[in-house]
């Protein structure tokens, strides 16, 4: 203080008031659920104070308070520490929200003298739709074969996921997967596990050939969705026919497995189709005669519409046919079965129609077998009778003197000469080389063919 000449000095205490730090937000983020969102705040303090910055809010990732010392060599700041060293720090925080919505944030800045400033507000997070992968990408199967599609959806957030499968000709299946495994996710629920991955599958068996589509929609619980569709190509499969039996009522003494002309033969055929197709049976008897064709309807009543994926499958049917042959001989019977989608297959069955001559030759074979037995037991009487029987059969076949050779051409054995005499006898002359052997022979047996 001065009045011109005199100077007086007096000390007076001055109170330096603490000033609280100021806070300004450089960045309040907005972004997507499941992704990192970064806040940035600038904190300034005019004094030389230590600063502590503390964040809090919804979602996860807020770190513990950060301490910014005024003088790294002398912490904490001694009081008073009047050297001026104004503070200006930038503090960031990165957090993640598992759901979309509006969420709270706050930042609290404190100096070491009790000065504090708090700022708070809200930030918004967007929903993201799930992504989806489905396998196999395209499907081609035979009718009546199950198709299974596998799907995996992933939501960046912690949303529930609902799979809706829509198959051509039905059904529509809805499968929900809860993020917490228990029940529906409430809105604005930033906790939970994220990203949320759910796998689902759906299966369908089409009983008829078709080009059928299947679609899958996966929705999260906040309106996000992803759609997928593919085509299932279902191929027709031809039926498999068989001729199961052929029978003829030719009397109880007629040998089994032989068929006579002019008597009806009853055939049974069957066929199976893996699909739900109608089946038409047509017979070709191999002698120029065919059947008109009989159709067995899958629904028992009327022609199968196309496609008819939900008829009964597999489908089997039986058919009967009757035919008389007019001549003996070998024939091949064919049964052709067609489904209503162009699938066709044929079964074959060889059949021999016996002639009277066939039966006579068969009788001769049997008589010869009996003759072998009679020879073996030296039953010459029976042998003679069988000779007579065989001769009669040969005669009935048109041979005038079946056992009376015109000539004998072959040599029956070494050092044996044979000569036909008087049409009904054969003279055998044994050469000298037989002399020493003869005492050891009891019988000599000569077999010939009258070819
Ligand atoms: Ca969400
Ligand atoms: Ca979502
Ligand atoms: Ca079919
Ligand atoms: Ca078929």
């Amino acid at each position: 203080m001065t009045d011109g000449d005199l100077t007086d000095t007096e000390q007076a205490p001055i109170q330096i008031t603490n000033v609280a730090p100021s806070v300004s937000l450089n960045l309040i983020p907005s972004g997507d659920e499941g992704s990192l969102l970064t806040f940035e705040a600038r904190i300034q303090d005019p004094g030389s104070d230590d600063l502590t910055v503390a964040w809090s809010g919804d979602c996860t990732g807020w770190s513990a308070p950060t301490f910014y010392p005024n003088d790294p060599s002398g912490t904490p700041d001694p009081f008073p520490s009047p050297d001026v060293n104004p503070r200006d720090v930038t503090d960031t925080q990165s957090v993640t929200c598992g759901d979309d919505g509006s969420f709270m944030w706050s930042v609290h800045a404190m100096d070491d003298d009790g000065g504090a400033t708090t700022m708070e507000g809200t930030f918004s997070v967007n929903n993201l739709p799930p992504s989806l992968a489905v396998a196999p990408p395209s499907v081609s199967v035979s009718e009546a074969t199950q198709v299974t599609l596998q799907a995996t959806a992933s939501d960046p957030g912690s949303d529930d996921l609902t799979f809706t499968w829509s198959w051509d000709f039905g059904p529509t299946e809805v499968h929900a997967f809860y993020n917490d495994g228990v029940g529906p996710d409430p809105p604005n629920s930033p906790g939970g596990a994220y990203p949320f991955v759910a796998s689902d599958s759906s299966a369908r068996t089409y009983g008829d050939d078709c080009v059928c589509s299947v679609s899958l929609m996966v929705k999260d619980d906040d309106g996000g969705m992803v759609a997928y569709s593919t085509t299932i190509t279902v191929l027709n499969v031809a039926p498999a026919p068989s001729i199961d039996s052929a029978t003829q009522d030719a009397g109880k003494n007629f040998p089994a497995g032989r068929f006579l002309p002019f008597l009806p033969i009853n055939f049974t055929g069957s066929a199976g189709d893996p699909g739900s197709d109608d089946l038409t049976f047509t017979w070709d008897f191999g002698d120029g005669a065919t059947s008109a064709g009989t159709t067995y309807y899958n629904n028992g009543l009327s022609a199968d519409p196309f496609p008819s994926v939900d008829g009964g499958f597999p489908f089997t049917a039986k058919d009967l046919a009757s035919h008389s042959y007019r001549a003996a001989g070998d024939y091949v019977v064919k049964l052709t079965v067609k489904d209503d989608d162009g699938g066709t297959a044929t079964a074959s069955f060889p059949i021999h129609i016996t002639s009277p001559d066939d039966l006579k030759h068969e009788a001769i074979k049997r008589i010869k077998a009996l003759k072998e037995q009679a020879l073996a037991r030296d039953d010459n009487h029976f042998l003679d009778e069988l000779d007579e029987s065989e001769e009669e059969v040969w005669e009935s076949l048109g041979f005038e003197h079946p056992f009376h050779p015109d000539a004998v051409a072959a040599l029956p054995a070494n050092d044996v000469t044979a000569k036909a005499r008087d049409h009904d006898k054969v003279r055998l002359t044994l050469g000298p080389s037989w002399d020493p052997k003869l005492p050891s022979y009891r019988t000599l047996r000569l077999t010939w063919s009258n070819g």
Side-chain angles (χ1 to χ4, degrees):
M1 184 180 292
T2 179
D3 64 355
D5 295 323
L6 300 172
T7 296
D8 189 18
T9 300
E10 192 172 331
Q11 298 244 327
I14 300 171
Q15 184 72 36
I16 307 296
T17 313
N18 182 47
V19 176
S22 70
V23 178
S24 63
L25 264 291
N26 292 349
L27 185 60
I28 301 172
S30 74
D32 300 324
E33 61 184 3
S35 59
L36 211 56
L37 307 173
T38 301
F39 291 81
E40 187 179 293
R42 185 179 181 191
I43 299 98
Q44 292 167 288
D45 191 285
S48 61
D49 291 330
D50 296 338
L51 293 177
T52 302
V53 182
W55 295 85
S56 64
D58 295 328
C59 304
T60 54
W62 304 104
S63 65
T66 310
F67 179 67
Y68 295 94
N70 178 253
D71 175 5
S73 65
T75 53
D77 199 33
F79 179 81
S81 59
D83 53 312
V84 175
N85 180 19
R87 309 307 318 282
D88 186 346
V89 301
T90 298
D91 193 69
T92 62
Q93 285 285 297
S94 290
V95 301
T96 312
C97 301
D99 202 3
D100 52 303
S102 182
F103 299 109
M104 293 296 302
W105 64 267
S106 88
V107 58
H108 187 64
M110 292 162 285
D111 62 22
D112 60 274
D113 295 316
T117 301
T118 299
M119 283 192 77
E120 61 186 20
T122 59
F123 64 109
S124 67
V125 176
N126 308 314
N127 187 47
L128 284 179
S131 61
L132 178 62
V134 182
S138 67
V139 184
S140 178
V141 293
S142 299
E143 60 188 357
T145 303
Q146 180 172 286
V147 174
T148 302
L149 294 179
Q150 301 277 355
T152 299
S154 176
D155 193 276
S158 60
D159 292 330
D160 299 337
L161 292 174
T162 304
F163 292 67
T164 303
W165 299 88
S166 300
W167 296 84
D168 261 357
F169 303 101
T172 295
E173 290 175 7
V174 180
H175 304 149
F177 295 84
Y178 296 124
N179 181 258
D180 64 0
V182 177
D185 205 32
N188 283 23
S189 55
Y194 55 86
F196 180 51
V197 179
S199 291
D200 192 23
S201 68
S202 186
R204 176 71 156 99
T205 304
Y206 285 113
D208 202 2
D209 43 310
C210 67
V211 178
C212 288
S213 73
V214 56
S215 66
L216 169 62
M217 174 84 76
V218 181
K219 290 183 176 175
D220 67 19
D221 59 88
D222 292 313
M225 65 179 75
V226 56
Y228 173 86
S229 80
T230 191
T231 299
I232 309 295
T233 303
V234 183
L235 306 169
N236 188 49
V237 178
S242 63
I243 298 172
D244 304 319
S245 69
T247 56
Q248 186 180 50
D249 186 5
K252 66 180 166 59
N253 293 322
F254 192 69
R258 303 288 191 280
F259 302 97
L260 289 174
F262 301 108
L263 259 185
I265 301 172
N266 297 315
F267 297 96
T268 60
S270 59
D273 192 287
S276 61
D277 293 328
D278 299 339
L279 296 178
T280 300
F281 289 65
T282 310
W283 296 83
D284 177 339
F285 299 103
D287 62 349
T290 56
S291 75
T294 308
T295 299
Y296 296 89
Y297 294 123
N298 181 259
N299 68 1
L301 296 170
S302 56
D304 203 31
F306 177 78
S308 62
V309 298
D310 291 314
F313 62 88
F315 182 58
T316 57
K318 272 188 194 302
D319 192 41
L320 303 177
S322 186
H323 183 63
S324 301
Y325 289 89
R326 306 178 74 82
D330 289 304
Y331 302 93
V332 176
V333 182
K334 289 180 178 167
L335 169 62
T336 298
V337 179
K338 258 184 173 174
D339 66 21
D340 61 276
D341 294 313
T344 180
T346 299
S348 294
F349 187 89
I351 191 163
H352 179 72
I353 305 300
T354 302
S355 65
D357 285 3
D358 288 338
L359 292 173
K360 288 174 183 173
H361 282 287
E362 196 162 306
I364 289 168
K365 271 189 203 159
R366 291 180 180 209
I367 291 169
K368 282 182 191 254
L370 289 173
K371 282 162 79 173
E372 292 286 343
Q373 292 170 14
L375 264 175
R377 60 174 191 265
D378 281 338
D379 188 346
N380 289 321
H381 178 66
F382 189 40
L383 199 57
D384 287 346
E385 286 180 350
L386 289 168
D387 262 343
E388 266 175 46
S389 301
E390 186 182 346
E391 196 166 10
E392 279 169 23
V393 180
W394 283 116
E395 281 165 1
S396 77
L397 282 166
F399 293 87
E400 267 184 56
H401 303 291
F403 293 166
H404 302 173
D406 292 330
V408 178
L411 284 178
N414 275 341
D415 202 20
V416 177
T417 51
K419 197 166 134 192
R421 265 185 84 221
D422 300 337
H423 300 297
D424 59 350
K425 286 190 174 62
V426 175
R427 169 167 294 188
L428 300 178
T429 307
L430 306 182
S433 67
W434 286 82
D435 289 349
K437 298 182 207 166
L438 281 177
S440 64
Y441 283 76
R442 194 161 62 86
T443 56
L444 283 174
R445 183 173 160 198
L446 182 69
T447 306
W448 78 82
S449 161
N450 59 359

